[in-house]
């Protein structure tokens, strides 16, 4: 049997080239090697208020972006988290075995809660829900980036604690991240990872940005004080642009060095913009075709939920039995 993979994205903000190069492109690459479940994690999104109509539209947008990227719904299960009630049900049972200290020490919780006057309990419980997402499907591999590595480690902690209390129940997902792709940094601040929640106008290139906007953002990207590309002294901004070009085009390191060594930054940015636009224009065309058929989208999400629900329900039934709950 193939190892099961679970991963997902929140339907909030705008997916950008970092999401594509760091996750979506890799999901497409591995979809035939593993049994893949790709989720739209809307329950995670509502840990912070989302206007309902916007949230529903974003769920459908993310589904269309998954498909436009090349994820095959005949090979993989594409589903919405809230369409499978077992996610929330298992999260409660795992909450009951998770020490609150584990949650209060999470880096993401401390960073986000420090900026809020009132902190919702959902933000604190976010790692437990993520653990439920993964453990529900007995996933062996969870392809996440470095920013989610602590959450994956917490999932392992929760699984091991439950197994110790109630007997072997959950597959403990591996800590290796074999499916993680390129790490893309912010174009306005290349010391920070490109983020959907960042507010800077020139921070990220969204997957659905038009060509003129893409070019404008990239031409304003932060570089360094050198006048041209010097691979020995290049700063993080220059390396980020080179990495974006290489991740889209697939060029070898030596080829990139030969092409860009000594090139002035304006010319570098132009070539990076040309590369990004050349890849995103057909991607956007596929997205528009898919999004224009809401019936097809709804069918893909319905089929995905129906395919994974038996796995999820079987896990919940087992957990209830182990805990002594009524089944």
């Amino acid at each position: 049997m193939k190892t099961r993979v679970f991963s997902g994205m929140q339907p909030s903000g705008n997916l950008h080239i970092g999401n594509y190069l760091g996750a979506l492109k890799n999901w497409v690459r591995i979809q035939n090697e593993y049994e893949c479940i790709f989720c739209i994690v809307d329950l995670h999104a509502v840990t912070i208020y989302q206007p309902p109509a916007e949230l529903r539209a974003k769920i459908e947008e993310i589904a269309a972006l998954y498909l436009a990227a090349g994820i095959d719904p005949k090979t993989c299960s594409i589903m919405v988290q809230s369409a499978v009630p077992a996610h929330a049900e298992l999260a409660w049972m795992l909450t009951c075995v998770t020490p609150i200290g584990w949650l209060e020490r999470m880096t993401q919780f401390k960073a986000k809660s420090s900026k809020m006057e009132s902190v919702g309990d959902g933000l604190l419980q976010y790692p437990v829900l993520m653990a439920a997402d993964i453990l529900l499907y007995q996933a062996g591999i969870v392809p996440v980036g470095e920013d989610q590595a602590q959450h994956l480690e917490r999932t392992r902690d929760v699984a091991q604690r439950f197994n110790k209390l109630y007997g072997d129940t959950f597959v403990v997902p591996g800590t290796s991240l074999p499916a993680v792709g390129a790490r893309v940094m912010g174009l306005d601040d290349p010391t920070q990872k490109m983020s959907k929640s960042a507010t800077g106008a020139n921070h990220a290139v969204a997957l659905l940005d038009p060509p003129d906007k893409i070019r404008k953002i990239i031409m304003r990207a932060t570089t360094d004080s050198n006048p041209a590309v010097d691979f020995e002294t290049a700063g993080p901004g220059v390396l980020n642009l080179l990495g974006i070009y290489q991740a889209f085009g697939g060029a070898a390191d030596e080829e990139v060095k030969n092409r860009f060594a000594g090139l002035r930054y304006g010319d570098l940015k132009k070539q990076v913009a040309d590369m990004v636009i050349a890849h995103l224009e057909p991607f956007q065309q596929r997205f528009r075709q898919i999004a224009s058929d809401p019936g097809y989208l709804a069918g893909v999400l319905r089929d995905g939920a129906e395919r994974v629900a038996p796995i999820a329900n079987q896990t919940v039934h087992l957990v209830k039995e182990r805990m002594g709950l009524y089944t």
Side-chain angles (χ1 to χ4, degrees):
M1 291 180 64
K2 293 181 178 179
T3 302
R4 189 171 291 141
V5 168
F6 179 91
S7 198
M9 294 185 183
Q10 285 194 39
S12 59
N14 295 315
L15 290 194
H16 49 64
I17 58 172
N19 300 124
Y20 176 75
L21 296 174
L24 283 174
K25 188 177 179 183
N26 247 1
W27 293 1
V28 173
R29 182 179 62 81
I30 68 170
Q31 64 182 330
N32 294 309
E33 300 174 31
Y34 302 96
E35 181 189 344
C36 295
I37 300 172
F38 296 127
C39 188
I40 300 163
V41 289
D42 54 341
L43 293 174
H44 284 289
V46 295
T47 55
I48 298 173
Y49 174 76
Q50 307 289 337
E54 290 182 21
L55 178 60
R56 178 58 63 89
K58 277 292 177 184
I59 291 169
E60 295 172 354
E61 179 183 291
I62 298 289
L65 288 170
Y66 282 6
L67 294 165
I71 295 173
D72 185 354
K74 295 178 182 177
T75 302
C76 309
S77 299
I78 302 174
M79 42 80 68
V80 181
Q81 186 183 26
S82 64
V84 180
H87 283 263
E89 190 173 8
L90 181 59
W92 170 252
M93 291 183 273
L94 296 182
T95 295
C96 295
V97 302
T98 303
I100 194 168
W102 287 4
L103 305 178
E104 291 173 334
R105 289 194 294 272
M106 297 297 289
T107 302
Q108 194 174 91
F109 172 73
K110 289 191 288 187
K112 290 187 176 182
S113 62
S114 66
K115 302 173 184 177
M116 298 178 175
E117 290 185 14
S118 177
V119 182
D121 186 49
L123 195 61
L124 180 68
Q125 299 297 335
Y126 182 107
V128 184
L129 179 58
M130 181 170 169
D133 297 335
I134 297 164
L135 301 178
L136 191 63
Y137 299 106
Q138 308 287 6
I141 296 176
V142 186
V144 299
E146 291 178 21
D147 57 327
Q148 292 292 317
Q150 188 185 31
H151 286 83
L152 180 56
E153 192 56 48
R154 187 61 70 232
T155 296
R156 288 171 49 81
D157 293 338
V158 171
Q160 290 167 344
R161 181 175 172 83
F162 190 97
N163 289 348
K164 184 176 180 180
L165 288 170
Y166 294 107
D168 286 344
T169 304
F170 294 117
V171 170
V172 180
T175 55
S176 60
L177 309 174
V180 173
R183 180 176 172 84
V184 181
M185 312 304 284
L187 292 169
D188 57 349
D189 181 0
T191 65
Q192 300 294 321
K193 185 179 178 184
M194 192 173 284
S195 170
K196 288 193 292 146
S197 60
T199 56
N202 299 308
H203 174 76
V205 171
L207 292 179
L208 298 179
D209 279 344
D212 58 341
K213 185 175 181 180
I214 294 172
R215 193 173 300 281
K216 181 179 178 181
I217 292 171
I218 291 176
M219 294 305 293
R220 293 182 175 179
T222 299
T223 51
D224 55 37
S225 59
N226 294 334
V229 177
D230 181 345
F231 283 89
E232 297 298 322
T233 61
V238 175
L239 294 176
N240 190 41
L241 288 168
L242 292 168
I244 291 169
Y245 181 94
Q246 188 171 14
F248 271 109
D253 291 347
E254 197 63 31
E255 183 182 345
V256 170
K257 287 184 178 180
N258 291 338
R259 184 181 187 91
F260 291 108
L263 196 69
R264 298 187 70 84
Y265 290 155
D267 294 327
L268 166 65
K269 292 176 179 179
K270 183 180 183 301
Q271 291 199 35
V272 173
D274 288 344
M275 175 65 77
V276 173
I277 291 168
H279 279 77
L280 288 191
E281 282 189 319
F283 176 92
Q284 292 172 2
Q285 185 176 355
R286 292 193 299 272
F287 169 83
R288 288 190 291 268
Q289 291 172 342
I290 294 163
S292 68
D293 189 350
Y296 170 69
L297 265 181
V300 167
L301 296 176
R302 182 177 59 252
D303 291 347
E306 290 175 353
R307 192 184 303 171
V308 303
I311 304 169
N313 293 337
Q314 183 179 22
T315 299
V316 165
H317 184 81
L318 176 62
V319 171
K320 285 182 173 180
E321 284 188 336
R322 294 284 163 84
M323 296 182 79
L325 296 169
Y326 187 79
T327 58

